[in-house]
Amino acid sequence: MALWFPRRLALVLLALVLVVLASSLSLVSVTFGPRTTPEHLHSALRAAAVPPSTSRTSTSNAPSNTSPMGHAHQNSHVHPAAHVAPSPAAPAPAAAPAAANASVSTPSMQPSPSSPLPATSTPNLASSKPSSPFTAAERKQNHDLLGMVVLNTPPGYPLWGHLSVQNKQAYADRHGYGLHFQTTVLDETRHPAWSKIIAMQNLMRQGQHKWLWSLDMDTIITNHSKKIGDLVDDKYDIIISHDCNAYNTGSFLIKASNWSLGFLENVYKRKDAQPAAWWENAAVIEEFEAIGDLKFRKHVKVVPQRQLNSYLPSICHFTEVSSWVAGDLLLHFPGLRNIANGHQIVLDYFNRTANALSD
């Protein structure tokens, strides 16, 4: 009897402790609810987020965008990879109840080319587009003289690429020049920048134009009154400018001649030209060196940079011979993807130069 009572008391006390613990756990469950797992959180975020637009993916063997800052061509054709494709659409997440007075927004990092820009950042090119001051005969003459060739392959510049297209279309409409956008990659084994060489060769063989004006998408024609045809000099086959580092192919002229066709063929053979991040521009520079000084002077005319390919002033350390000023034909943004807030800089210049369309 003496041993039985302490044992019973111990069992009673243990039961009381268990009851107290059970009540505490129930209270915690009621107060805080079920544990929020990462999957629960992710579902809630996806349900509340703004659906992202179609994005582009890069292959693992993409060329690096690491050319020296300040060289003209470091980003004239910068695309993350030679092969790009839309990401597969993600399945629609299950709806989750929205929390009161709370919202989660995940802006898309790569808006689609058709995504509208904020009204404050988009120049009204339609209202500024000038009517052509040239007669039909003059426009036909300008068309026969020159065609504009613009490389516009994916991924391009989603935030403002459509403005670049409109800008070049307005200039071509005003003067009557031909306008050719290369929107597909013509050699899947190389970076899209090389497609510019093939596109020019194809147009030369078609015989539509005596000269071609090769332009990159990261350029703005800022003076629509100037005629690019006035720079044509039939004594030469190539007309190009030299920036603070080297010759740049972001904006240059090339005659549709047998010599030019041979030159471009040789350029295309130099697929391993260095620096590799300059792609076809590096190959053009190497071919210039290979033809020798005598042939270079016979076939290539070098013009002051601001006549053909002005830069954002900071690119070449604010040098007067390179830096764009109002009235110049064109503004080029090489290295744009290496510049902080580069897209906003371009939009600002589009706004600043929109009125120039009617000058």
Side-chain angles (χ1 to χ4, degrees):
M1 185 70 178
L3 292 175
W4 176 84
F5 180 78
R7 288 180 179 177
R8 185 174 182 181
L9 180 61
L11 289 174
V12 170
L13 292 175
L14 178 61
L16 290 173
V17 169
L18 291 175
V19 169
V20 172
L21 287 175
S23 299
S24 299
L25 290 174
S26 176
L27 179 61
V28 169
S29 177
V30 170
T31 304
F32 295 101
R35 183 173 65 90
T36 303
T37 64
E39 182 54 37
H40 291 150
L41 179 61
H42 294 163
S43 297
L45 289 172
R46 287 196 299 267
V50 177
S53 60
T54 301
S55 62
R56 302 286 181 176
T57 57
S58 302
T59 57
S60 59
N61 61 344
S64 61
N65 180 22
T66 57
S67 39
M69 190 60 188
H71 186 279
H73 193 68
Q74 62 187 319
N75 201 47
S76 292
H77 311 292
V78 171
H79 302 290
H83 304 283
V84 289
S87 299
N101 301 322
S103 63
V104 179
S105 176
T106 304
S108 169
M109 296 303 293
Q110 293 182 325
S112 64
S114 59
S115 297
L117 293 168
T120 55
S121 298
T122 306
N124 188 351
L125 294 180
S127 64
S128 303
K129 181 178 176 180
S131 58
S132 176
F134 303 102
T135 66
E138 289 172 329
R139 289 167 56 80
K140 175 64 166 60
Q141 184 178 12
N142 288 342
H143 180 275
D144 293 344
L145 173 66
L146 186 137
M148 300 162 60
V149 186
V150 186
L151 187 70
N152 187 21
T153 53
Y157 297 91
L159 287 172
W160 50 265
H162 60 294
L163 296 180
S164 180
V165 169
Q166 293 175 25
N167 170 261
K168 291 159 182 61
Q169 185 68 62
Y171 184 81
D173 289 346
R174 177 184 176 96
H175 294 274
Y177 297 128
L179 178 59
H180 309 273
F181 286 99
Q182 183 58 48
T183 58
T184 58
V185 176
L186 298 176
D187 185 347
E188 294 288 346
T189 67
R190 301 194 189 191
H191 189 278
W194 287 93
S195 293
K196 174 196 292 189
I197 304 298
I198 304 175
M200 289 189 291
Q201 289 176 304
N202 291 342
L203 282 170
M204 286 180 183
R205 294 187 180 106
Q206 292 174 16
Q208 295 185 51
H209 315 288
K210 296 178 180 177
W211 283 81
L212 300 177
W213 182 17
S214 179
L215 284 167
D216 287 350
M217 280 287 287
D218 58 347
T219 59
I220 309 174
I221 300 172
T222 54
N223 188 337
H224 286 230
S225 297
K226 284 193 172 182
K227 294 173 58 179
I228 185 63
D230 289 343
L231 288 179
V232 165
D233 189 337
D234 284 320
K235 292 184 294 184
Y236 299 91
D237 292 279
I238 293 176
I239 300 173
I240 197 168
S241 62
H242 193 290
D243 64 25
C244 48
N245 287 316
Y247 298 103
N248 179 263
T249 59
S251 172
F252 77 104
L253 295 163
I254 185 166
K255 187 195 296 183
S257 65
N258 289 331
W259 186 90
S260 295
L261 275 171
F263 177 84
L264 293 178
E265 288 175 4
N266 291 334
V267 165
Y268 206 76
K269 294 175 183 176
R270 298 181 178 277
K271 64 179 181 178
D272 297 320
Q274 296 297 320
W278 296 350
W279 306 300
E280 93 299 341
N281 199 152
V284 167
I285 295 170
E286 283 193 2
E287 186 61 20
F288 280 162
E289 296 172 351
I291 64 176
D293 185 63
L294 186 61
K295 287 186 177 180
F296 180 88
R297 287 184 292 171
K298 179 179 179 181
H299 294 280
V300 181
K301 181 178 183 179
V302 181
V303 298
Q305 186 178 349
R306 283 181 45 206
Q307 288 189 16
L308 186 60
N309 196 14
S310 299
Y311 283 177
L312 190 68
S314 59
I315 298 296
C316 275
H317 315 293
F318 300 90
T319 55
E320 184 177 349
V321 294
S322 297
S323 299
W324 178 89
V325 297
D328 284 356
L329 170 68
L330 177 137
L331 173 59
H332 186 192
F333 298 91
L336 184 68
R337 287 188 173 94
N338 292 333
I339 302 174
N341 298 320
H343 68 278
Q344 188 58 54
I345 294 174
V346 175
L347 290 172
D348 289 343
Y349 272 94
F350 267 115
N351 279 320
R352 289 175 58 183
T353 61
N355 293 332
L357 299 180
S358 58
D359 289 349

